[in-house]
Amino acid sequence: DFCQAEGKKRPSENLGQVLFGERIEPSPYRFTFNKKETCKSVCTKTYDTRKPEDKQKLDFLKKSMLLNYQHHWIVDNMPVTWCYDVEDGQRFCNPGFPIGCYITEDGRPKDACVINSEFHEKDTFYIFNHVDIKIYYHVVENEALGARLVAAKLEPKSYKHTHPDNPDCSGVPMDISNKANGEVKIAYTYSVSFEEEKRIRWASRWDYILESMPHTHIQWFSIMNSLVIVLFLSGMVAMIMLRTLHKDIARYNQMDSTEDAQEEFGWKLVHGDIFRPPRKGMLLSVFLGSGTQILIMTFVTLFFACLGFLSPANRGALMTCAVVLWVLLGTPAGYVAARFYKSFGGEKWKTNVLLTSFLCPGIVFADFFIMNLILWGEGSSAAIPFGTLVAILALWFCISVPLTFIGAYFGFKKNAIEHPVRTNQIPRQIPEQSFYTKPLPGIIMGGILPFGCIFIQLFFILNSIWSHQMYYMFGFLFLVFIILVITCSEATILLCYFHLCAEDYHWQWRSFLTSGFTAVYFLIYAIHYFFSKLQITGTASTILYFGYTMIMVLIFFLFTG
């Protein structure tokens, strides 16, 4: 319940912003370039606690101050930041500022209340109803444009204006006691000043926000950590491949006489069964198709992000890019699914194509739709309008599905993948397996290493999704992505080799699930993050968090598998 802008149109948003629930509203704070304003009144809100609707609005304000809700303001596509000193003499720039703050009953200041010693009344809320805005500009020398805005900073203040009609912005802070009754008047005011800043170029105006963002040095630590895992793994894989296979093949080449040939051992024994089609081959081929689609999408999106096309300055660009790419990449999905299904000896190609185009996207869309219904029910501004839902469905049905059909057509037209050895008529008996070559322990072990590569990055990504921090480390992310792809492949090759040596030839599903199990660790981490980092209360919010997490887990599962 803040001041509203009268009769201004809402700026339009792109697809990514709508999907992420970013809505931009016009503001009643008006500036004219280089015109200094001091203590200009915006509006006054009056709450009579005896009226139930007023009391409800005031209680909502109190709750949001208690939970440290933030204002996010934008000037000329730049976030208005609140910069303050933290320890070690560093300045931290926060792209939002709190609505207010609270002093507890035993006199402890919470959150932003530490900035002013005048906030000392116990069990009291202080609302930041005045802002001092400072706009920095850079005069363009060679062009006739005049000036460009390079930074906007503000200081939140709290004043109890004695005359709301002509405010003077001085005196005691605006306190709202928790037990206050009667009439509460909050007058909102602002001051704005302009300052020329010659050092900041317009092109690098985002830097000061990013410089004060948390710790890039942890990142190098995490990259080194992942690289060590990768080196260790590739060493293991190379050793096994070179030493064992070399030895095995040398032994086979020595066998000339037929008597010796009876004593085959290890993985050579299962050559007659290794290409036996897996159980549920249909589902596996569909997963492989969708996974390929997601893999290419992630690669291209991150590549563009590295080149700087999807910086935080282009709001919603990342999500838009990902969705559009996903829609356009129907063809590889259909092709891969069809090729594998055909090599598994499948006949029902229509079912295969339909499942590839509808199963995984359908699950994601259904989940998304349910989340959206909850948001609608709560009356949230993040709810996606009906028109956008129809647009997404149109993208999926009219572009993605036909492309999947085209891919599948080419996949089925090609000859099935030739196997180097014939499959025996009668399936071989699988001997008793030791503990670590049984399917479940192998799959659980396989997910640990890839997860070890990404979990530090995961913390920053979850922060940027749930705590509204900027995420800009796409270079790091691209590196981690490459490392993750290598680790998943190598860990799977290793474990697959072990269980082939133990004469267990069911390798197709196991190789998919071994690295796909990383997604389960991702889910466990997300649950841990929910309980340790986020103070989320209320059923709707909890359902939303886990609903969106499940979408991410499914996508990640298909991608790693």
Side-chain angles (χ1 to χ4, degrees):
D1 190 42
F2 297 105
C3 306
Q4 302 294 320
E6 296 302 313
K8 275 181 78 175
K9 246 174 75 237
R10 286 223 357 234
S12 65
E13 284 113 358
N14 59 29
L15 181 67
Q17 279 169 290
V18 176
L19 290 181
F20 257 127
E22 288 184 25
R23 300 285 179 278
I24 301 176
E25 297 284 348
S27 115
Y29 294 79
R30 300 279 198 287
F31 309 148
T32 317
F33 179 61
N34 250 345
K35 182 170 172 231
K36 197 174 171 205
E37 300 275 9
T38 41
C39 208
K40 201 163 158 38
S41 170
V42 188
C43 73
T44 306
K45 293 278 183 187
T46 311
Y47 302 101
D48 190 345
T49 49
R50 291 177 295 257
K51 290 185 193 154
E53 67 266 20
D54 279 13
K55 186 166 171 20
Q56 198 184 351
K57 282 179 181 170
L58 194 62
D59 285 346
F60 186 68
L61 266 182
K62 285 181 186 170
K63 183 188 164 198
S64 53
M65 284 189 259
L66 195 60
L67 295 174
N68 197 20
Y69 275 39
Q70 309 267 324
H71 290 282
H72 285 268
W73 290 1
I74 304 170
V75 172
D76 183 38
N77 199 26
M78 281 291 285
V80 183
T81 55
W82 173 39
C83 294
Y84 50 90
D85 293 314
V86 286
E87 67 268 19
D88 315 333
Q90 288 179 310
R91 278 180 87 62
F92 180 77
C93 290
N94 186 9
F97 69 97
I99 291 173
C101 63
Y102 175 59
I103 305 273
T104 55
E105 289 177 21
D106 49 5
R108 268 188 321 110
K110 276 188 62 153
D111 299 319
C113 275
V114 293
I115 62 170
N116 193 335
S117 55
E118 287 182 359
F119 301 161
H120 51 66
E121 297 284 321
K122 291 177 182 175
D123 197 18
T124 303
F125 293 94
Y126 288 96
I127 188 161
F128 292 133
N129 57 341
H130 173 84
V131 284
D132 285 331
I133 301 173
K134 198 164 202 177
I135 290 182
Y136 297 89
Y137 63 93
H138 166 106
V139 176
V140 184
E141 299 89 15
N142 45 12
E143 301 168 46
L145 280 174
R148 281 174 164 176
L149 181 145
V150 289
K153 297 183 181 177
L154 62 72
E155 286 283 329
K157 301 274 174 65
S158 179
Y159 295 120
K160 191 173 215 161
H161 300 297
T162 33
H163 311 290
D165 308 322
N166 56 354
D168 55 351
C169 294
S170 59
V172 292
M174 177 75 213
D175 54 338
I176 305 169
S177 171
N178 205 358
K179 302 178 180 65
N181 282 317
E183 202 175 54
V184 179
K185 259 190 170 171
I186 304 175
Y188 290 94
T189 53
Y190 69 96
S191 306
V192 61
S193 60
F194 290 84
E195 190 179 308
E196 188 173 351
E197 172 63 85
K198 289 194 168 68
R199 292 190 307 255
I200 305 178
R201 311 266 324 138
W202 185 77
S204 57
R205 60 184 191 159
W206 280 75
D207 291 1
Y208 77 99
I209 304 177
L210 303 184
E211 274 160 18
S212 66
M213 288 307 273
H215 332 300
T216 32
H217 57 261
I218 298 187
Q219 297 292 308
W220 284 114
F221 168 72
S222 86
I223 294 274
M224 293 323 294
N225 167 23
S226 332
L227 278 172
V228 168
I229 293 180
V230 168
L231 286 172
F232 163 73
L233 266 174
S234 23
M236 291 260 308
V237 172
M239 280 222 352
I240 284 181
M241 291 305 154
L242 290 172
R243 279 194 51 194
T244 344
L245 289 178
H246 187 71
K247 212 162 70 186
D248 294 353
I249 289 165
R251 273 174 72 173
Y252 290 130
N253 292 344
Q254 284 167 7
M255 292 183 184
D256 298 330
S257 58
T258 45
E259 299 86 23
D260 301 353
Q262 302 309 315
E263 301 169 30
E264 293 192 335
F265 60 94
W267 50 268
K268 194 70 189 203
L269 287 169
V270 293
H271 70 80
D273 298 272
I274 192 77
F275 293 116
R276 197 173 289 291
R279 290 175 287 229
K280 307 248 188 308
M282 171 73 88
L283 193 62
L284 182 59
S285 62
V286 169
F287 278 178
L288 287 169
S290 302
T292 313
Q293 189 173 7
I294 291 163
L295 180 77
I296 304 173
M297 173 194 90
T298 320
F299 179 80
V300 179
T301 309
L302 286 179
F303 184 68
F304 278 149
C306 278
L307 297 180
F309 291 138
L310 312 173
S311 75
N314 308 354
R315 291 166 195 289
L318 189 75
M319 193 71 177
T320 313
C321 175
V323 170
V324 169
L325 274 171
W326 182 85
V327 165
L328 295 177
L329 287 169
T331 316
Y335 179 76
V336 169
R339 279 297 297 236
F340 275 104
Y341 185 59
K342 194 170 178 184
S343 78
F344 293 156
E347 298 293 328
K348 306 184 194 144
W349 62 274
K350 288 178 186 139
T351 326
N352 182 267
V353 185
L354 287 170
L355 278 176
T356 309
S357 28
F358 294 117
L359 180 69
C360 300
I363 296 171
V364 170
F365 186 80
D367 188 332
F368 196 72
F369 186 71
I370 295 166
M371 296 302 110
N372 206 38
L373 285 180
I374 295 172
L375 286 170
W376 264 336
E378 295 283 315
S380 161
S381 63
I384 291 171
F386 186 68
T388 312
L389 277 179
V390 173
I392 292 171
L393 279 174
L395 278 176
W396 177 21
F397 285 120
C398 308
I399 302 175
S400 184
V401 173
L403 285 174
T404 312
F405 272 79
I406 293 170
Y409 170 73
F410 284 114
F412 278 116
K413 245 181 71 162
K414 285 191 80 153
N415 293 333
I417 301 168
E418 285 284 315
H419 295 319
V421 284
R422 282 205 318 277
T423 304
N424 292 346
Q425 295 290 320
I426 302 161
R428 211 190 129 79
Q429 185 98 25
I430 296 178
E432 183 65 34
Q433 297 289 315
S434 64
F435 174 71
Y436 63 91
T437 54
K438 285 200 177 86
L440 204 62
I443 288 171
I444 292 174
M445 282 190 301
I448 294 177
L449 285 168
F451 182 73
C453 299
I454 57 163
F455 82 100
I456 296 190
Q457 276 295 330
L458 216 53
F459 174 72
F460 288 101
I461 293 173
L462 289 178
N463 264 353
S464 79
I465 296 175
W466 301 116
S467 310
H468 284 291
Q469 292 177 359
M470 304 271 169
Y471 190 86
Y472 57 92
M473 299 176 274
F474 291 113
F476 280 125
L477 194 58
F478 193 61
L479 252 176
V480 170
F481 169 80
I482 302 292
I483 287 175
L484 176 67
V485 170
I486 297 171
T487 316
C488 279
S489 326
E490 292 189 340
T492 312
I493 291 174
L494 209 59
L495 288 158
C496 187
Y497 177 80
F498 287 148
H499 76 77
L500 286 181
C501 282
E503 301 176 38
D504 178 355
Y505 50 83
H506 295 304
W507 60 277
Q508 288 101 332
W509 269 109
R510 280 183 66 169
S511 58
F512 187 89
L513 293 172
T514 300
S515 55
F517 204 79
T518 316
V520 178
Y521 290 111
F522 173 39
L523 177 62
I524 295 167
Y525 185 78
I527 295 170
H528 161 75
Y529 180 84
F530 177 79
F531 286 112
S532 65
K533 293 281 184 296
L534 300 174
Q535 290 102 22
I536 287 184
T537 51
T539 344
S541 304
T542 312
I543 296 174
L544 283 171
Y545 176 84
F546 285 107
Y548 286 131
T549 301
M550 287 323 285
I551 293 182
M552 292 193 278
V553 167
L554 173 71
I555 289 176
F556 194 66
F557 168 72
L558 293 170
F559 157 71
T560 46

